[in-house]
Amino acid sequence: MKFTVLTLFPDLIRCICDESILGRAQKAGFISVEAVDIRAYSKDKHHRVDDTPYGGGKGMLIAAPPVYDCWHDVKGHLTGSVRTIYLSPQGRLLTQKKAAQLKAYDNLLLLCGHYEGIDARVLEEIVDEEISVGDYVLTGGELPACLLIDAVARLCPGVLADPSCYENESIASGLLEYPQYTRPVEFHGKRVPEVLLNGDHAQIERWRHQEALSLTRKKRPDLI
Ligand code: SAM
């Protein structure tokens, strides 16, 4: 799967997506993340991309022409299915279910706003869907784009060593995940539950399911 991020701050995307699991997945060819600088499409001699909003008001708005030219150029070079997503506090909330749906596309084209946002006319023309990462307002769409990439990428084949890594996880399984422990067997006077040490896998599975149920009831009863 290919993620192409249209942004005024491409280094923000690279510094997150080129590290750790996403960085390794890119090197191994399981996913690709490209950040494209919208500013490179400005026809202004000072490479300006923003302007004051018509009708007055505070802040600056990213103008339609460089966004359109950037999107048009990038899209023209992509093969396979493409979904254009504008990261926006006005969009539908990003959920695990949405991440799983987006995995079906060959390409996700992620448009990041900044300042007061982007001229509404170009959004109307190029955006298939708006996605929000939560009911709060951030300074730009770059962190939301990285959240979306991370949530979708880890569902792509090869990115995680074993698909069961995410199938049992909180939310994806419908319940919160059971508590987990690693060495040492005792920490600050607390021992790892004995059931996890006895090697009886059927008993361990039952215990984990019970723990997942009771944690979900306690922390997120709305999921049950
Ligand atoms: N004036 C816009 C409004 O009221 O809807 C908010 C603009 S916000 C300061 C700048 C950019 O950050 C947005 O264009 C969007 O790309 C991004 N952004 C901010 N909050 C977001 C959120 N919760 N989810 C996704 N993107 C967000």
Side-chain angles (χ1 to χ4, degrees), residues 61-64 86 117-127 130:
L61 211 54
I62 302 176
Y86 174 43
I118 300 179
D119 187 304
R121 292 166 296 180
V122 69
L123 298 178
E124 257 168 50
E125 196 161 328
I126 69 173
V127 171
E130 295 190 15

Side-chain angles (χ1 to χ4, degrees), residues 61-62 86-91 93 111-118 123 131-145:
L61 211 54
I62 302 176
Y86 174 43
L87 284 309
S88 160
Q90 300 183 14
L93 280 187
L111 174 60
C112 303
H114 229 89
Y115 318 121
E116 276 308 304
I118 300 179
L123 298 178
I131 293 184
S132 165
V133 294
D135 285 340
Y136 40 81
V137 179
L138 301 167
T139 56
E142 287 75 16
L143 291 175

